[in-house]
Amino acid sequence: MRIWRWLVALSTLLFGRIAKRDSSDAERIVPKGTPSRRAENAVLILLGLAVLAAAGFIVVYAAYPHAQQPNELLGLSLGLCLAFIAAALTVVAKFLVVTEEIEDEYPADHPEEQEEIAKIVHESGTRITRKKLMIGAGAAAGGALGLAALTPALSLGPLWDTSPLDATPWRRGVALVDDKGHRIMASSIEPKTFYSAFAEGADAENIGSDLIVIRLDPAKLKLPAGRRNWTPGGILAFSKICTHAGCAIGLYRTPKFPNLEPKPAMVCPCHYSTFDPYTGGTVIYGPAGRPLPQLPLMIDPAGYLRAAGNFSARIGPGWWNVREKPTFGHE
Amino acid sequence: MTWGRLVTAGAILIGLWAAGLAEAQPQSGIVRPTTEPPGPSVELGAQLFAGNCASCHGIAGSGIPHPRPGAGDILGSGPSLRGVGARAADFYLRTGFMPLSSIHDEPSNDRVLFSEKEIRSLVAYVASLGHGPGIPHPNPAAGSLSEGMQLFTLHCAGCHQEDAEGGFATGARVPPLQSVTATQIAEAVRVGPYIMPSFSRQQISDAELNSITRFVLSLKSHDDNRGGWRIGNIGPIPEGLVTWWIAIPLLIIACMLVGRRFRGQ
């Protein structure tokens, strides 16, 4: 029944001429409020400020290059826009809309009473003297907010190119390096500890580059089919970026006395998503929705670790249309 | 009536909880030889080990892989201590990680149950069980504070947090590092207690370890608290509680204030 009431109210607002028969004050249900010029002005000013704040967001987004977007300014402008709209709506509700409460539940079978509701909704707006201007200001504020929210999507380019989100520096033959840029000998990777590694020559800011490298007993691995040759000597590499919200996976549980202590796992410190390295990074706890992408490894003739291809799946936090199956071919 | 029942149920629950707490207190049942020698000795260490450690770590530290009844009613199981050296023994005893009151407990910074003389004796005895590493001697003054911060961020902060306040990993509490000594830091990095990874000299050199200890010790001296409220400084769990129990009710109150009708206007 509630929905009915909303529908009637909405249609009345949209096609508000049903109750155009001029009701004299005596017939009114809702008492006629005195128009408040000051409140109307306040609403117009607040909506104008909201438009300016939204425009500010667009200007800031356009003015700075990708990597240096000032989060504070973006957040401030969008937040101010929303705050101004909220303030405008609050003023409208408190000072411009006359209210009338209906005691009973809405009677669906009585067309007359439905008309009464429509009339109430219509009369509630009679305090507003400059209706078209107000609607225009509201539409401008809403439109500006919508534009501001859509602006970042322009970064995907005119053809809606999402490939930058998938790009990683890894391909067959790329060497793994440590935080100082030195190549990593496979023989230096020890069990019961973890290593942070990066793609040789990659931008340090590129989250596609970060790896967590560990060594496990090859006999205990239960990797998905097709990953048999990905782990030379039991060395595994996973993307360091959690598939839930994109934090860096900095925790590696490795028990001193495995008979009694929690089994080895990679844990994200943000929301405790926990991934099982033995089964190829499957989620065993927490909010992550898909396994940690694994990187196939190989050892070059000099003994250094190199990638044997790209990750098993898209790296990074979840967004729409992320699938578990590999998006890139493997050799 | 229902209220009375609720109160009764609450009282029972609190009583049970308190009883559980009392039960959970580790029994300080340390067994000591009737006549302890005046100074530390391997012999005293062997006696203490037989009385307090062998139920879990086995005769002469041979280890007990699967739980079996030990002295008293203790269910014993623990890793072999042959070859772990003075380093691990010193770490576990001085932090109070050992002895555990139950094999299913996570080692934590409880009270230290042995005296200085007894710890030295036990460390000497465990070191005598096999060739193992000795107690490290880090020199924080020789380290670089900024390098220490970078290394701590890379290797340690994932679990211990950037400010070394500790936190949680799934299945384990991560201890804060505010009251540890430089030696304990160096020992823990090399030993990797409980589920902590261990770091070799190849991964973290002794010089780098000096820097890490310098950084961790420097955290004690200042209490940088930009947000204004620490809420434990242990990350997402208390922050989530604040969101759910404080921020969201405030928002609901704000919504109710905004939506309240002005009657008679």
Side-chain angles (χ1 to χ4, degrees):
Chain A
M1 292 306 99
R2 283 274 153 75
I3 294 166
W4 246 133
R5 204 191 286 187
W6 279 104
L7 280 178
V8 173
L10 194 69
S11 58
T12 315
L13 279 176
L14 287 176
F15 319 102
R17 278 155 186 78
I18 317 169
K20 199 108 207 213
R21 21 178 182 150
D22 210 27
S23 48
S24 65
D25 287 359
E27 291 172 38
R28 288 185 67 99
I29 304 169
V30 183
K32 194 173 184 177
T34 42
S36 166
R37 210 64 193 176
R38 272 179 61 198
E40 278 183 22
N41 289 340
V43 171
L44 290 172
I45 290 170
L46 286 169
L47 290 176
L49 288 171
V51 172
L52 285 181
F57 179 92
I58 297 171
V59 168
V60 169
Y61 197 89
Y64 288 86
H66 261 253
Q68 294 154 24
Q69 289 287 344
N71 288 332
E72 303 83 357
L73 288 181
L74 290 174
L76 191 70
S77 51
L78 206 57
L80 278 177
C81 175
L82 289 168
F84 284 132
I85 291 177
L89 289 175
T90 310
V91 173
V92 168
K94 294 243 191 220
F95 301 106
L96 289 179
V97 174
V98 203
T99 56
E100 172 71 27
E101 201 161 326
I102 303 170
E103 302 285 333
D104 316 314
E105 263 303 299
Y106 184 69
D109 317 334
H110 296 277
E112 293 150 38
E113 296 195 32
Q114 284 182 9
E115 264 179 41
E116 194 179 302
I117 300 277
K119 201 173 165 202
I120 289 175
V121 171
H122 180 71
E123 286 178 3
S124 298
T126 51
R127 274 172 91 176
I128 300 171
T129 55
R130 292 169 287 177
K131 200 166 186 175
K132 278 189 179 159
L133 186 59
M134 297 289 273
I135 290 176
L145 176 64
L147 278 180
L150 285 176
T151 307
L154 293 177
S155 298
L156 295 172
L159 294 174
W160 203 260
D161 178 16
T162 56
S163 63
L165 298 174
D166 298 332
T168 86
W170 296 107
R171 53 182 208 292
R172 189 174 175 86
V174 174
L176 277 68
V177 295
D178 64 15
D179 57 306
K180 298 180 190 76
H182 302 141
R183 289 186 182 174
I184 299 170
M185 287 294 285
S187 56
S188 72
I189 302 294
E190 293 164 45
K192 300 221 168 200
T193 187
F194 75 99
Y195 300 79
S196 298
F198 310 87
E200 192 174 48
D203 179 5
E205 298 278 314
N206 185 344
I207 61 167
S209 160
D210 298 52
L211 294 182
I212 176 168
V213 180
I214 56 174
R215 187 193 279 272
L216 298 171
D217 180 358
K220 290 186 182 161
L221 292 177
K222 290 178 203 143
L223 296 174
R227 296 193 194 175
R228 192 168 302 154
N229 300 322
W230 288 21
T231 59
I235 301 175
L236 290 85
F238 292 93
S239 165
K240 207 177 187 185
I241 308 302
C242 182
T243 55
H244 168 233
C247 292
I249 293 181
L251 289 80
Y252 180 54
R253 268 186 0 202
T254 175
K256 186 103 290 201
F257 186 51
N259 297 10
L260 285 174
E261 295 168 359
K263 63 177 187 169
M266 297 164 288
V267 185
C268 176
C270 285
H271 308 95
Y272 303 124
S273 290
T274 305
F275 304 89
D276 184 354
Y278 287 102
T279 56
T282 50
V283 182
I284 50 177
Y285 181 81
R290 57 198 182 93
L292 211 52
Q294 188 181 351
L295 187 78
L297 294 178
M298 59 183 191
I299 301 174
D300 71 12
Y304 291 112
L305 282 174
R306 288 177 185 273
N310 205 337
F311 285 110
S312 60
R314 280 174 164 168
I315 62 116
W319 70 91
W320 66 92
N321 211 22
V322 171
R323 296 196 180 88
E324 291 190 13
K325 66 178 181 186
T327 50
F328 305 93
H330 293 284
E331 285 148 273
Chain B
M1 190 193 87
T2 38
W3 274 111
R5 278 192 190 173
L6 272 178
V7 169
T8 317
I12 290 173
L13 277 178
I14 289 172
L16 284 174
W17 177 68
L21 275 189
E23 191 72 17
Q25 285 291 330
Q27 308 129 357
S28 138
I30 295 297
V31 186
R32 295 186 162 85
T34 39
T35 48
E36 277 197 15
S41 68
V42 177
E43 197 181 331
L44 173 62
Q47 288 172 327
L48 288 167
F49 188 91
N52 303 291
C53 317
S55 282
C56 291
H57 290 292
I59 305 296
S62 54
I64 297 177
H66 301 291
R68 70 163 191 235
D73 53 355
I74 298 169
L75 198 62
S77 178
S80 163
L81 298 186
R82 290 183 176 164
V84 302
R87 186 175 70 188
D90 185 69
F91 174 79
Y92 278 96
L93 290 168
R94 285 193 194 280
T95 49
F97 276 19
M98 292 287 147
L100 287 178
S101 48
S102 154
I103 55 167
H104 299 293
D105 283 359
E106 179 185 344
S108 64
N109 300 67
D110 284 333
R111 27 191 197 141
V112 177
L113 295 174
F114 293 105
S115 70
E116 174 68 28
K117 179 179 73 181
E118 291 167 342
I119 288 177
R120 284 190 184 196
S121 304
L122 275 167
V123 168
Y125 173 71
V126 172
S128 76
L129 294 175
H131 281 289
I135 298 171
H137 298 284
N139 181 10
S144 143
L145 194 58
S146 62
E147 186 195 43
M149 196 197 87
Q150 282 171 18
L151 291 167
F152 189 86
T153 307
L154 185 66
H155 297 295
C156 323
C159 295
H160 289 284
Q161 314 259 8
E162 196 55 59
D163 56 1
E165 280 278 353
F168 292 91
T170 45
R173 168 88 172 92
V174 179
L177 306 178
Q178 315 292 347
S179 58
V180 297
T181 65
T183 309
Q184 284 169 356
I185 297 168
E187 286 169 342
V189 164
R190 300 286 184 230
V191 169
Y194 201 56
I195 59 163
M196 174 173 157
S198 54
F199 300 86
S200 66
R201 282 196 171 78
Q202 262 183 319
Q203 245 176 317
I204 299 177
S205 69
D206 283 341
E208 289 176 325
L209 196 49
N210 285 338
S211 299
I212 291 178
T213 46
R214 179 160 178 197
F215 173 70
V216 174
L217 295 177
S218 79
L219 293 171
K220 290 179 188 176
S221 51
H222 59 89
D223 189 11
D224 197 9
N225 190 23
R226 297 268 177 88
W229 186 21
R230 294 161 54 87
I231 46 174
N233 279 11
I234 55 165
I237 287 180
E239 284 163 19
L241 287 177
V242 167
T243 307
W244 283 101
W245 296 107
I246 299 179
I248 289 181
L250 280 179
L251 280 178
I252 292 174
I253 290 170
C255 289
M256 288 167 73
L257 286 178
V258 168
R260 197 168 60 188
R261 287 158 193 278
F262 270 23
R263 290 193 185 274
Q265 256 206 15

